[in-house]
Amino acid sequence: MPGQAIFSGARGRFVSLTPTHHLSHLVVSSRWRRNAIVSRVVRCGANQKKNLPPLIRPSDPLKSRRQIPKTIYKKSDSSRQDPRKLWQKVISPKVSGDDIEEQLEDQEIKLDRRRNRSKKRNVASQKDNRRSRIAELAKKIISLPREESVGVVLEGQKFTGHELTRLLSILDWEGQTVTALEVFEWLAKRSSPLAKDRFVYTRLMSMFARDKRGADRALELFDRMQRNHVTPDLVAFNTAVSAAAKSRDLDRAVEIFEMMKSQRISPDVVTYSSLISACANVGAWERALEFFQQMEACGLVANVVTYTSLISALHRAGEWARAVVVFKRMEVAGVQADIQAYNTLIAACASGAAWEKAWSIVASMRLAGVKPNTVSYNTLMSACERCGEWERALEVFERLESEGQDPQSPVRPNAISYNTVISACGKEGRWEEAMDLYKSMQTKGVKMDVVTLSSLVSACEKVGRWEDALHVFSDAEKNGVVPNLFCFNSLISALGRGGRWEAALAAFERMQRVGFKPDVVTFSALISACEQGGGLELERASGLFDEMKSLGIKPNGYIYSGLINACERVGDWEQALRLFREMQEEDIEFDSVTMVAKRLLYTWPRLVNTLPGPVVVAAKAAVQSGRAARRWVDGDPP
């Protein structure tokens, strides 16, 4: 085709394709890349194979396939075909130069994509190799005996900062936080530059700053970081403030905060949230409000964590009404409350005995699309329990049980749920409901703990069910539950109410053998139990009274009242009067003195001249009030 030419399109040049001028190369410039795409072209002469370029000989179809663009060399064409025939599609008069340019540019883009994918695969493969090496090292370190040093594995190994951080993270995930610190210490002793890496320090600090037990270690690492002239960044400062908050050291948290500002590092929302949390842990709710206002003055927008920390500070200080106001402010600000925020607010209302408000919060929680969890129900039951609303607490428990019947539901009663509702029933004398819940607890396979034992024994003690109290105590021992002082005090009181003073003394001796020291409640229950008997019990009660004073325990009005009641039973008014005068010298509350004086006036009216004037007046008023009440009950006119 003499005189035919193709317009290259990139630089506006024509390339001649005449038969007399046989081309061996066609260079087409790309408008996007500097390097050109060179496609080798078969010469038109069929019999001049010796002058053809070696890469496109017809006898080598595979190499020819690599050189001819894939937009031209279709997969459906056989590799046995003559490449010269395929090239006719390029120089055909039906194909314009612009089309060829577009095809070549598309081919270039595809080649670039292949190269990028290949590079990414190579990088990913290298990362996988490094990760597998770090994982193997972590396994070897974990499998080392305790007396073996980590240097056995680390000797001769080289790490980048990222690789060392990953090694420490793997050890942390496996619960080997102390071992991770040993790896860091081993590198520090060998003056490794990685021992002064800021990111390594920050990762170690975050590992220990998660709870109170490791917070002090995290602060030590922060101090060491500064001694080694490693400049902390924002993340390191935030981790240090969080560690100080968990260790309940507000002064240290404020000190780190001021240091952060002196180094011209602007605090963020995480910083202020940690500071407010530090205030919450020590009950400094006013200081927490100051930090919150300071954060808003800096133009920072509080998030749900910040609001939750502030609500927690108000909750621990007993300011539940202020906590409700802060929660409403969070809603007005458009911050979506999460389950933690709702539970904290319910707990604040529970601490303030505002069970109705807590109930409404749970209802609004459902309307907002946040499903209550077990903690939500337990906190609501606690609010009802504090207010004496045992029926409401039982209603919440039944709702929790109904949701727990679904195998897919994560909400189901736990030991805290049972303990709370048992305590609510026990405080109101509903021992039958409490025992039924205990049986249900055993049926569901929920293990009892010392709180369960305390609640059940206390419920039995209020109604004098000493047999059930002993039965629960026996079950607790079988389940490996160790009673505490409150459990023994409740058992002694239950036995005393049932007139089993000998069993009460036996429980007291058993408590001492276990290692518990009696307190004023213990002696009050014992003396009240001995009050039920005759002269022998009075001697025993007097001995317990002397033992209590020898232990440095100050008696209260109930103990003096019990001793005077015991004296009344045997007619020993002289000892009763001596105890009353001693009670006055001990500076017992006036109400307790009045109560005992009232008892004395009922028993021995002739002692009225021996009592102080104000006490006699108050006691006479109490006596007259009691008599008037009895006449009113009997139907007699006042």
Side-chain angles (χ1 to χ4, degrees):
M1 295 178 288
Q4 184 180 356
I6 297 178
F7 183 71
S8 65
R11 297 186 179 179
R13 293 187 297 181
F14 285 90
V15 180
S16 176
L17 297 177
T18 58
T20 56
H21 182 221
H22 301 291
L23 298 177
S24 60
H25 295 82
L26 175 64
V27 180
V28 181
S29 298
S30 172
R31 64 170 55 98
W32 295 309
R33 295 179 59 88
R34 293 182 179 180
N35 56 321
I37 299 176
V38 180
S39 300
R40 299 184 181 274
V41 184
V42 180
R43 296 184 60 175
C44 296
N47 296 325
Q48 299 179 2
K49 296 181 182 180
K50 60 182 179 179
N51 295 326
L52 291 177
L55 294 178
I56 59 172
R57 291 183 183 275
S59 60
D60 193 4
L62 293 178
K63 292 183 180 179
S64 300
R65 185 187 180 100
R66 285 200 301 270
Q67 298 302 322
I68 298 176
K70 287 191 176 181
T71 54
I72 301 170
Y73 195 104
K74 296 182 180 179
K75 294 182 179 180
S76 60
D77 296 331
S78 175
S79 61
R80 297 179 181 179
Q81 295 179 358
D82 190 348
R84 291 174 297 178
K85 295 181 180 179
L86 298 175
W87 188 249
Q88 296 299 324
K89 297 179 181 180
V90 178
I91 60 176
S92 173
K94 298 180 181 180
V95 182
S96 65
D98 291 338
D99 293 337
I100 295 175
E101 176 67 19
E102 290 178 2
Q103 292 177 358
L104 293 174
E105 288 176 355
D106 292 342
Q107 181 65 19
E108 178 189 7
I109 294 173
K110 292 180 181 180
L111 290 173
D112 288 341
R113 289 176 179 173
R114 289 180 194 148
R115 294 191 195 99
N116 292 334
R117 284 196 295 267
S118 178
K119 289 180 181 179
K120 289 181 180 179
R121 283 194 295 267
N122 293 335
V123 171
S125 177
Q126 292 175 2
K127 287 184 178 180
D128 291 340
N129 293 335
R130 289 196 297 266
R131 288 177 179 176
S132 61
R133 182 176 75 91
I134 297 300
E136 288 296 328
L137 289 175
K139 289 181 181 179
K140 291 180 181 179
I141 292 173
I142 294 172
S143 61
L144 285 174
R146 289 186 176 181
E147 63 276 2
E148 198 76 32
S149 173
V150 294
V152 176
V153 179
L154 298 177
E155 192 67 44
Q157 297 289 339
K158 294 182 179 180
F159 302 98
T160 62
H162 179 74
E163 290 174 344
L164 178 58
T165 304
R166 181 168 181 79
L167 176 61
L168 299 177
S169 299
I170 294 176
L171 294 174
D172 181 37
W173 297 335
E174 296 295 332
Q176 302 289 329
T177 308
V178 178
T179 306
L181 185 60
E182 291 178 3
V183 171
F184 177 77
E185 297 290 353
W186 187 88
L187 292 172
K189 289 180 180 179
R190 282 148 185 82
S191 301
S192 173
L194 295 176
K196 294 185 178 182
D197 188 281
R198 180 177 60 192
F199 298 102
V200 174
Y201 269 108
T202 305
R203 183 68 186 95
L204 280 171
M205 288 169 56
S206 64
M207 289 161 52
F208 287 99
R210 280 195 295 263
D211 52 23
K212 184 180 178 180
R213 293 175 297 176
D216 293 336
R217 184 67 61 85
L219 292 174
E220 291 176 3
L221 287 168
F222 181 73
D223 295 336
R224 180 176 175 181
M225 182 180 186
Q226 293 178 305
R227 288 195 302 268
N228 291 336
H229 306 289
V230 180
T231 304
D233 57 359
L234 177 61
V235 179
F237 273 113
N238 287 344
T239 306
V241 174
S242 177
K246 288 184 173 62
S247 62
R248 300 178 180 272
D249 193 348
L250 178 59
D251 295 335
R252 183 65 191 281
V254 175
E255 178 186 350
I256 296 171
F257 176 67
E258 296 297 335
M259 183 191 308
M260 178 182 182
K261 292 193 295 184
S262 66
Q263 297 186 12
R264 297 182 179 181
I265 297 178
S266 300
D268 59 359
V269 179
V270 178
T271 313
Y272 282 104
S273 299
S274 300
L275 282 172
I276 295 173
S277 178
C279 297
N281 291 335
V282 297
W285 65 273
E286 295 177 343
R287 195 77 179 274
L289 284 175
E290 292 177 3
F291 282 122
F292 185 82
Q293 294 171 357
Q294 182 179 347
M295 180 193 68
E296 289 185 323
C298 294
L300 298 174
V301 180
N303 55 21
V304 66
V305 178
T306 313
Y307 280 108
T308 303
S309 300
L310 183 57
I311 293 172
S312 177
L314 296 170
H315 153 53
R316 297 188 181 188
E319 297 287 337
W320 68 271
R322 293 179 184 270
V324 173
V325 173
V326 171
F327 186 84
K328 291 181 179 178
R329 182 177 178 179
M330 178 178 66
E331 291 181 323
V332 172
V335 179
Q336 179 64 41
D338 58 3
I339 186 68
Q340 184 66 28
Y342 276 108
N343 289 344
T344 306
L345 184 61
I346 295 170
C349 296
S351 63
W355 71 270
E356 294 171 331
K357 187 64 180 178
W359 197 284
S360 66
I361 291 170
V362 174
S364 63
M365 185 178 180
R366 293 193 182 96
L367 293 175
V370 181
K371 188 176 182 181
N373 58 11
T374 304
V375 177
S376 308
Y377 287 116
N378 290 346
T379 311
L380 182 57
M381 282 190 290
S382 178
C384 298
E385 181 259 346
R386 293 190 179 193
C387 299
E389 297 288 337
W390 67 272
E391 292 178 326
R392 292 286 187 178
L394 197 59
E395 181 181 346
V396 177
F397 180 80
E398 290 173 354
R399 174 67 179 270
L400 178 60
E401 268 193 323
S402 64
E403 292 191 13
Q405 291 178 357
D406 184 6
Q408 304 296 329
S409 176
V411 180
R412 50 180 41 87
N414 55 17
I416 299 176
S417 309
Y418 280 100
N419 293 341
T420 306
V421 70
I422 289 173
S423 177
C425 295
K427 284 184 177 180
E428 299 303 317
R430 312 297 300 186
W431 67 273
E432 294 179 346
E433 287 81 357
M435 294 302 295
D436 290 340
L437 289 166
Y438 172 60
K439 294 176 182 178
S440 172
M441 185 178 184
Q442 291 178 311
T443 304
K444 298 293 180 59
V446 180
K447 294 183 179 180
M448 69 179 302
D449 54 14
V450 67
V451 180
T452 315
L453 176 61
S454 301
S455 301
L456 286 170
V457 175
S458 178
C460 297
E461 178 261 337
K462 283 181 170 55
V463 293
R465 302 287 301 183
W466 60 270
E467 301 96 336
D468 293 326
L470 286 175
H471 174 69
V472 172
F473 235 84
S474 177
D475 287 347
E477 288 183 340
K478 293 178 182 178
N479 293 325
V481 178
V482 179
N484 56 14
L485 182 60
F486 181 81
C487 297
F488 278 108
N489 289 343
S490 299
L491 178 63
I492 292 171
S493 179
L495 294 171
R497 284 173 178 262
R500 310 292 296 180
W501 64 273
E502 295 178 347
L505 291 174
F508 173 69
E509 295 174 357
R510 177 184 173 189
M511 181 187 74
Q512 289 180 310
R513 287 196 303 269
V514 174
F516 289 105
K517 294 182 180 181
D519 58 1
V520 65
V521 179
T522 311
F523 283 105
S524 178
L526 283 170
I527 292 174
S528 178
C530 295
E531 174 194 342
Q532 307 287 331
L536 182 62
E537 287 74 15
L538 177 60
E539 294 180 3
R540 183 58 178 162
S542 300
L544 290 170
F545 183 72
D546 295 335
E547 181 181 353
M548 178 186 63
K549 291 194 293 185
S550 66
L551 293 175
I553 301 174
K554 183 179 178 179
N556 56 20
Y558 292 99
I559 292 177
Y560 280 108
S561 178
L563 288 171
I564 291 174
N565 289 342
C567 294
E568 176 194 352
R569 289 179 180 275
V570 296
D572 192 352
W573 64 270
E574 294 180 353
Q575 185 176 355
L577 185 59
R578 180 179 59 80
L579 288 170
F580 181 78
R581 289 173 177 170
E582 182 180 339
M583 178 181 179
Q584 289 180 292
E585 294 175 358
E586 291 290 341
D587 195 20
I588 304 298
E589 296 178 0
F590 187 78
D591 290 341
S592 300
V593 176
T594 304
M595 177 185 65
V596 176
K598 173 185 173 183
R599 183 75 182 182
L600 289 173
L601 288 178
Y602 266 123
T603 307
W604 297 293
R606 63 181 181 273
L607 295 178
V608 68
N609 296 326
T610 63
L611 301 177
V615 174
V616 172
V617 173
K620 285 183 177 180
V623 171
Q624 294 298 330
S625 176
R627 289 174 179 173
R630 283 196 298 273
R631 287 197 302 270
W632 183 82
V633 171
D634 295 337
D636 298 334

